Amino acid sequence: MYIYTKYRFMKFLLPIFLLLSFSNIKAQADSTFIRYIYDLALENGEAYENLRSLCKDIGARVTGSAEAEMAVKWGEKLLKSYNFDKVYLQEIQVPHWERGTTEAAWIENEKGDILKLNILALGGSIGTNGLISGEVIEVKNVDALKLLNPNEIKDKIVFLSEAFNQKHINTFSAYGYCYPLRGDGANEASKLGAKAVVIRSLATPTDNHPHTGVTHFDKDVNKIPAAAMSTQNADMVSKWIKQGKVTLKMEMDCKVFPDVTSYNVIAEITGKDKKIITLGGHLDSWDVGEGAHDDGAGIVHSIEALRILKTLNYKPNHTIRCVLFMNEENGNFGGKSYAKLAKEANEEHICAIESDRGGFLPIGFDVVENTNHLELVKQYENLLFDYDLLKFKNGHGGVDIGPLKEYYPEMMQLGMAINSQEYFNYHHSEADVFEVVNKRELELGAAAMSTMVYLMDITLD
Amino acid sequence: MYIYTKYRFMKFLLPIFLLLSFSNIKAQADSTFIRYIYDLALENGEAYENLRSLCKDIGARVTGSAEAEMAVKWGEKLLKSYNFDKVYLQEIQVPHWERGTTEAAWIENEKGDILKLNILALGGSIGTNGLISGEVIEVKNVDALKLLNPNEIKDKIVFLSEAFNQKHINTFSAYGYCYPLRGDGANEASKLGAKAVVIRSLATPTDNHPHTGVTHFDKDVNKIPAAAMSTQNADMVSKWIKQGKVTLKMEMDCKVFPDVTSYNVIAEITGKDKKIITLGGHLDSWDVGEGAHDDGAGIVHSIEALRILKTLNYKPNHTIRCVLFMNEENGNFGGKSYAKLAKEANEEHICAIESDRGGFLPIGFDVVENTNHLELVKQYENLLFDYDLLKFKNGHGGVDIGPLKEYYPEMMQLGMAINSQEYFNYHHSEADVFEVVNKRELELGAAAMSTMVYLMDITLD
Ligand SMILES: [Zn+2]
Ligand SMILES: [Zn+2]
């Protein structure tokens, strides 16, 4: 229905068709309009100043915090200032977890040597209720943990130590392999009777700040304290363990609170028909640093992409809807609620594009696998070459837009692909601040989002 | 002679040939070997530690300085430690310019307000011989300057103020447009009787450190003092000039000394035939910062590329020669001498690959225009896609390898294309230090160089 009709008709003739009439297809897209998009983003862009404001005037904004609510107001006010056709809040229920004020840990060996560790409680962890102590058992990862007997683990503190595999070209791939350490380690260790879990931070480099992130417990599993230590600390703990018995002491007073009300923040340019193209990122962040790359960048990319289309007086075929999703980090209730409410309202969603991989150089788009969606994007390869948008492949769309796919299995989903090399230096840590974002790379991301929204608006029926 | 024979034969059939037998062509390159190159660079790479050493154990190394000679020794020692088939120095004559110890400037208006400027003498500038003073005349660029009458310029200090055009996607393109401000501004202003020249730094962002670089004088033109101010200062000077008459005072004691002897540093893996593939970057830098991106990165890229091939026990068809060129920055006598000596020795050069665009993410290769060279590289596009090497186009090779082309017009020349967005934040300034280089991006650059040397070695006859 909403796919490029001519293409569908010629599906089985595609290679020869592309070869013979490429200029024909391309002619549908206005290359001058794309040049205007980039000129506006690079010469009179507002993405960088908007990111400065989000990072410095508000800062970290974990779901359920006062800062998260400030960010909702900030987003609503900013979107209203651009005079889009509609700006509104979408009410949702979200979890509320707080770090508390105490977070400390050290290791001791049998000689009485001590080493302070730099730790951060994982989101969803319970507190320790005072100082706790336990022998450390090092386990590489969750697969190895599952092979152990409860008597090897009971009352111990499990240290999950697998490092990022540096051989992966894309660091998100290395992150994916290590993800269970953080996401599922405490859950599995608790099943075996562990007292607590500490993990090596999910980070690319060897550095000295811990990286937090969500940890998950099954409903019937006792929650236990879980924290990340810096990668430097993790190397030291491994070294000490090789030399003899190591005891870990830790204290944290983080806490899970009852769910609260929050909001997705939404703006639209009304289309000629009622079909919807969503673009977005997530407004919440973790509670350390400033959430600049994760995902302040995606927020200002999306707002700027819509602002550019409006400024250029673009009249879309379909409604272009920018969504600042709440609560991606620990529950994804923004994304889940958005999809459910869309279905309940009988909306027709044809495409969603997410930016949640930082404010670095955009290099292309990942297309969620579907028989023809990748080819629909690749027809514009030559047009995008000069803008260094070069990589189009099947891949991941985005966490926030993911739930839409359950209700609209035929819709197109795209994730902006961004140079990933430095992302996990900053991710979920105190280092993710405005200053580590490059102005032009951020602006190129906004222009790339705006361009892809434009191209899909003219391509999809 | 040295081009890929099968390809040449099929030249006019190329599109259909690529379509029908692409897998055939690709089969010549061993994708497993490329994977080994990347694994070695990313897991057991030495590029980052080598760059640390060059930047921190030596630092800035302008041609003719003691540090430049240290860098020659450093390069020779490092290359010898890798047990290449040959390591030797190539003696050359190079210019010798020194900054001196005094560098100061300020502007004054008629009310007596003063503003200190952050300046750096341009390389090749003469000193002021004490404090000089002159009315400032702002001119946008050299083209505008050439339209003025000598009586508008005589005894004045010319301020060339054109800013980078932010609309260029590649910042090297914006740099190219502004290059005459620095390269030719003092020369042209002197012809019109100017007392001195100050320029807006050739830099992408608005920041507060000046960026130096070479300035050139024709033989019959009187040398005059020339300096760059920070882009922030340039904005202020323009603002003051709009409000009334502005006087600039400056003092610099930089100096041109007689030429001295220096060296290109060379290492080789001997090939099965006598044809030569050169890879390299330049060992000299400017005298501020640490020359980390420009061009410490290119130096360690090239050394590491050769080390990887040796470590993997690769037996090349042609001699692979790594050259650490001296004096790219102010005269290019390393590159010019290398080419001349090659010709005099009757060497047969078939390919040269340069890295001189920083240690950022590599995105592809520029191929110096020639009827078939770009297609020779593009046949490997699919193979390189997974390594995020995505952009292959006709373009610039490199300053150091450029002179070879005069003697070997048929040879292939490649310049590694690198994410350019941040390069001119650091270029030729105190900000170009080791800390602003990302380890993995540097390693990916080394792997890309090694891979392209391998591919051209198996491709070129
Ligand atoms: Zn995120
Ligand atoms: Zn250079």
Side-chain angles (χ1 to χ4, degrees):
Chain A
M1 265 158 4
Y2 47 77
I3 60 169
Y4 181 40
T5 327
K6 192 198 277 180
Y7 172 86
R8 192 168 55 171
F9 180 71
M10 310 279 293
K11 202 151 136 188
F12 299 101
L13 294 168
L14 183 73
I16 198 75
F17 170 71
L18 275 180
L19 202 69
L20 299 180
S21 57
F22 188 83
S23 58
N24 238 353
I25 301 187
K26 218 176 50 171
Q28 296 196 59
D30 180 352
S31 65
T32 309
F33 188 71
I34 296 176
R35 186 65 254 184
Y36 288 157
I37 290 174
Y38 274 85
D39 287 354
L40 189 51
L42 292 167
E43 271 206 321
N44 295 102
E46 301 192 5
Y48 192 64
E49 168 54 21
N50 287 341
L51 184 64
R52 189 208 59 71
S53 174
L54 181 58
C55 290
K56 300 301 181 188
D57 299 340
I58 299 177
R61 45 198 181 277
V62 68
T63 299
S65 67
E67 286 83 358
E69 292 320 291
M70 283 184 228
V72 167
K73 301 283 181 198
W74 174 94
E76 187 184 20
K77 190 176 171 216
L78 180 62
L79 291 169
K80 283 192 168 158
S81 78
Y82 291 141
N83 292 312
F84 295 123
D85 297 332
K86 285 188 193 168
V87 173
Y88 55 99
L89 301 184
Q90 185 175 63
E91 190 178 311
I92 57 174
Q93 296 304 305
V94 293
H96 177 198
W97 172 87
E98 280 186 23
R99 182 170 303 284
T101 54
T102 298
E103 222 157 40
W106 74 91
I107 50 171
E108 281 182 26
N109 63 17
E110 290 179 304
K111 287 185 286 177
D113 300 324
I114 70 158
L115 176 72
K116 189 186 175 201
L117 303 180
N118 259 330
I119 64 162
L120 275 177
L122 299 184
S125 171
I126 58 166
T128 55
N129 198 14
L131 193 65
I132 60 169
S133 173
E135 185 185 340
V136 184
I137 173 165
E138 178 173 350
V139 187
K140 190 181 178 191
N141 55 32
V142 174
D143 287 342
L145 179 64
K146 284 176 173 171
L147 297 176
L148 297 178
N149 286 318
N151 59 4
E152 296 174 272
I153 300 296
K154 190 157 170 41
D155 288 332
K156 291 192 176 144
I157 295 180
V158 172
F159 166 44
L160 294 161
S161 64
E162 187 168 21
F164 271 28
N165 183 341
Q166 298 294 330
K167 293 197 272 191
H168 293 275
I169 303 300
N170 190 313
T171 62
F172 281 90
S173 169
Y175 177 71
Y177 276 88
C178 285
Y179 184 87
L181 264 70
R182 199 195 70 213
D184 207 30
N187 187 48
E188 293 299 329
S190 176
K191 288 182 192 170
L192 296 171
K195 185 179 277 182
V197 161
V198 288
I199 68 162
R200 178 189 176 95
S201 283
L202 303 191
T204 303
T206 302
D207 59 26
N208 205 24
H209 52 265
H211 301 246
T212 188
V214 74
T215 196
H216 137 273
F217 292 98
D218 293 338
K219 264 192 186 147
D220 53 339
V221 170
N222 280 335
K223 289 183 181 179
I224 57 174
M229 68 181 77
S230 73
T231 51
Q232 269 181 30
N233 280 169
D235 286 342
M236 287 303 289
V237 174
S238 293
K239 200 173 151 189
W240 282 41
I241 286 174
K242 279 195 190 76
Q243 292 161 358
K245 186 178 159 182
V246 172
T247 301
L248 190 144
K249 314 249 183 185
M250 68 192 282
E251 184 172 1
M252 310 192 301
D253 59 354
C254 49
K255 222 189 217 169
V256 179
F257 292 88
D259 289 358
V260 295
T261 297
S262 188
Y263 306 90
N264 293 326
V265 187
I266 301 178
E268 293 179 9
I269 301 177
T270 308
K272 292 175 194 128
D273 66 22
K274 296 201 162 215
K275 292 168 189 170
I276 295 163
I277 294 176
T278 297
L279 73 160
H282 63 86
L283 192 53
D284 65 308
S285 72
W286 281 102
D287 59 333
V288 288
E290 295 167 1
H293 280 295
D294 187 15
D295 183 27
I299 288 298
V300 303
H301 280 157
S302 302
I303 295 172
E304 180 77 346
L306 198 68
R307 182 189 76 85
I308 288 171
L309 293 177
K310 162 116 185 137
T311 305
L312 295 177
N313 204 25
Y314 180 66
K315 304 295 180 202
N317 295 317
H318 315 298
T319 289
I320 312 294
R321 185 189 283 172
C322 169
V323 184
L324 318 184
F325 291 96
M326 181 52 68
N327 185 234
E328 188 269 352
E329 294 292 5
N330 52 336
N332 197 27
F333 284 97
K336 288 175 194 162
S337 307
Y338 177 74
K340 195 158 165 280
L341 293 166
K343 190 65 187 174
E344 285 170 10
N346 269 317
E347 291 175 355
E348 191 174 350
H349 284 260
I350 59 171
C351 181
I353 309 178
E354 179 150 353
S355 166
D356 187 18
R357 305 185 202 171
F360 303 97
L361 184 77
I363 61 169
F365 284 87
D366 282 356
V367 182
V368 173
E369 192 148 8
N370 175 294
T371 37
N372 69 346
H373 288 173
L374 180 57
E375 289 309 318
L376 286 183
V377 174
K378 278 169 79 92
Q379 69 180 299
Y380 300 112
E381 257 179 339
N382 280 20
L383 204 56
L384 300 174
F385 184 85
D386 287 343
Y387 300 96
D388 289 358
L389 292 173
L390 307 163
K391 193 157 196 172
F392 305 96
K393 63 172 182 58
N394 281 134
H396 183 61
V399 170
D400 297 288
I401 62 174
L404 274 176
K405 192 85 177 169
E406 295 166 30
Y407 302 106
Y408 304 94
E410 291 301 312
M411 79 178 295
M412 184 179 225
Q413 295 212 335
L414 302 166
M416 184 154 69
I418 293 171
N419 172 16
S420 73
Q421 299 308 320
E422 250 181 47
Y423 189 72
F424 294 98
N425 296 25
Y426 307 119
H427 186 242
H428 297 181
S429 83
E430 66 184 23
D432 187 12
V433 295
F434 174 66
E435 288 77 3
V436 298
V437 179
N438 175 280
K439 180 172 183 284
R440 279 180 57 88
E441 292 183 348
L442 185 74
E443 290 165 348
L444 289 170
M449 286 284 275
S450 203
T451 299
M452 192 50 69
V453 168
Y454 159 67
L455 290 174
M456 291 306 103
D457 183 56
I458 61 164
T459 302
L460 300 172
D461 268 346
Chain B
M1 266 163 359
Y2 49 74
I3 60 168
Y4 180 37
T5 328
K6 193 199 278 181
Y7 172 85
R8 193 167 55 170
F9 180 72
M10 310 278 293
K11 199 150 137 190
F12 298 101
L13 294 169
L14 183 74
I16 198 77
F17 170 72
L18 276 179
L19 202 69
L20 300 180
S21 57
F22 188 83
S23 59
N24 239 352
I25 302 185
K26 219 175 51 171
Q28 296 196 57
D30 180 353
S31 65
T32 310
F33 187 72
I34 296 176
R35 186 66 253 185
Y36 287 157
I37 289 174
Y38 274 84
D39 287 355
L40 189 52
L42 292 167
E43 271 206 321
N44 295 102
E46 302 192 3
Y48 193 62
E49 168 55 21
N50 287 341
L51 184 64
R52 189 208 59 71
S53 174
L54 182 59
C55 290
K56 299 302 180 187
D57 300 340
I58 299 177
R61 46 199 179 276
V62 68
T63 300
S65 68
E67 287 83 359
E69 292 320 291
M70 283 183 229
V72 167
K73 300 285 181 196
W74 174 93
E76 186 184 20
K77 190 176 171 216
L78 179 62
L79 291 169
K80 282 193 169 158
S81 78
Y82 290 142
N83 291 312
F84 295 123
D85 296 333
K86 284 189 194 169
V87 174
Y88 55 99
L89 302 184
Q90 184 173 65
E91 189 178 312
I92 57 174
Q93 296 302 306
V94 293
H96 178 198
W97 172 87
E98 281 185 23
R99 184 170 302 282
T101 53
T102 298
E103 223 158 39
W106 74 91
I107 51 171
E108 282 182 27
N109 63 16
E110 290 179 305
K111 289 185 287 179
D113 300 324
I114 69 157
L115 175 73
K116 188 187 175 200
L117 303 179
N118 260 330
I119 62 161
L120 274 177
L122 298 183
S125 170
I126 58 166
T128 55
N129 199 14
L131 193 65
I132 61 169
S133 174
E135 186 187 340
V136 184
I137 173 165
E138 179 173 349
V139 186
K140 190 180 179 192
N141 55 32
V142 174
D143 286 343
L145 179 64
K146 284 177 174 172
L147 297 176
L148 298 178
N149 286 318
N151 58 5
E152 296 174 272
I153 300 297
K154 188 155 171 43
D155 288 332
K156 291 193 177 143
I157 294 181
V158 172
F159 167 44
L160 294 162
S161 65
E162 187 168 21
F164 271 28
N165 183 340
Q166 297 293 331
K167 293 197 273 191
H168 294 274
I169 304 298
N170 190 313
T171 62
F172 281 90
S173 168
Y175 176 71
Y177 276 89
C178 285
Y179 184 87
L181 264 69
R182 199 195 69 211
D184 207 30
N187 187 49
E188 293 299 330
S190 176
K191 288 182 191 170
L192 295 170
K195 185 180 276 181
V197 162
V198 287
I199 68 163
R200 180 188 174 95
S201 283
L202 303 191
T204 302
T206 302
D207 60 26
N208 204 24
H209 53 266
H211 301 246
T212 187
V214 74
T215 197
H216 137 272
F217 292 98
D218 294 337
K219 262 191 188 149
D220 53 340
V221 170
N222 280 335
K223 290 184 179 178
I224 58 174
M229 69 182 76
S230 74
T231 51
Q232 268 181 30
N233 280 169
D235 286 344
M236 288 302 289
V237 174
S238 293
K239 200 172 152 190
W240 282 40
I241 286 174
K242 278 193 191 78
Q243 292 161 357
K245 186 179 159 182
V246 172
T247 301
L248 191 145
K249 315 249 183 184
M250 68 192 282
E251 184 173 1
M252 309 191 301
D253 59 353
C254 49
K255 222 189 218 170
V256 179
F257 292 88
D259 289 358
V260 295
T261 297
S262 188
Y263 306 90
N264 293 326
V265 186
I266 300 177
E268 292 180 9
I269 301 178
T270 308
K272 292 176 195 125
D273 66 21
K274 296 200 161 217
K275 293 168 187 169
I276 294 163
I277 294 176
T278 297
L279 73 160
H282 62 87
L283 192 53
D284 65 308
S285 73
W286 280 103
D287 59 333
V288 288
E290 296 167 0
H293 280 295
D294 187 13
D295 184 28
I299 288 298
V300 303
H301 280 157
S302 302
I303 295 172
E304 181 76 346
L306 198 67
R307 182 189 76 86
I308 288 171
L309 294 177
K310 161 117 185 134
T311 305
L312 295 177
N313 204 23
Y314 181 65
K315 304 295 180 201
N317 295 317
H318 314 297
T319 288
I320 313 296
R321 185 189 283 173
C322 169
V323 184
L324 319 183
F325 290 96
M326 181 52 69
N327 184 235
E328 187 270 351
E329 295 292 4
N330 52 337
N332 198 28
F333 284 98
K336 289 175 194 163
S337 307
Y338 177 74
K340 194 157 166 281
L341 292 167
K343 190 64 187 174
E344 285 170 9
N346 269 316
E347 290 175 355
E348 191 174 351
H349 284 260
I350 60 173
C351 182
I353 309 178
E354 178 149 354
S355 166
D356 186 18
R357 305 185 203 172
F360 303 98
L361 185 77
I363 60 169
F365 284 87
D366 282 355
V367 182
V368 173
E369 192 147 7
N370 175 294
T371 37
N372 69 346
H373 288 174
L374 180 57
E375 289 308 319
L376 286 183
V377 173
K378 278 169 80 90
Q379 70 178 301
Y380 299 111
E381 256 179 339
N382 280 20
L383 204 57
L384 300 174
F385 184 85
D386 286 343
Y387 300 96
D388 289 357
L389 292 174
L390 306 162
K391 191 156 197 173
F392 305 96
K393 63 172 183 58
N394 281 132
H396 184 60
V399 170
D400 297 287
I401 62 174
L404 274 176
K405 192 85 176 166
E406 296 166 31
Y407 302 106
Y408 305 94
E410 290 302 311
M411 79 178 295
M412 183 179 225
Q413 296 211 335
L414 302 166
M416 184 153 70
I418 293 171
N419 173 15
S420 73
Q421 299 308 322
E422 250 181 46
Y423 189 72
F424 295 99
N425 295 26
Y426 307 119
H427 187 242
H428 297 180
S429 83
E430 65 185 23
D432 187 12
V433 295
F434 174 66
E435 288 77 4
V436 297
V437 179
N438 175 279
K439 179 171 183 285
R440 281 180 55 90
E441 293 183 348
L442 185 74
E443 290 166 348
L444 288 170
M449 286 284 276
S450 203
T451 298
M452 193 48 71
V453 168
Y454 159 66
L455 290 174
M456 290 306 105
D457 183 56
I458 61 165
T459 302
L460 300 173
D461 268 346

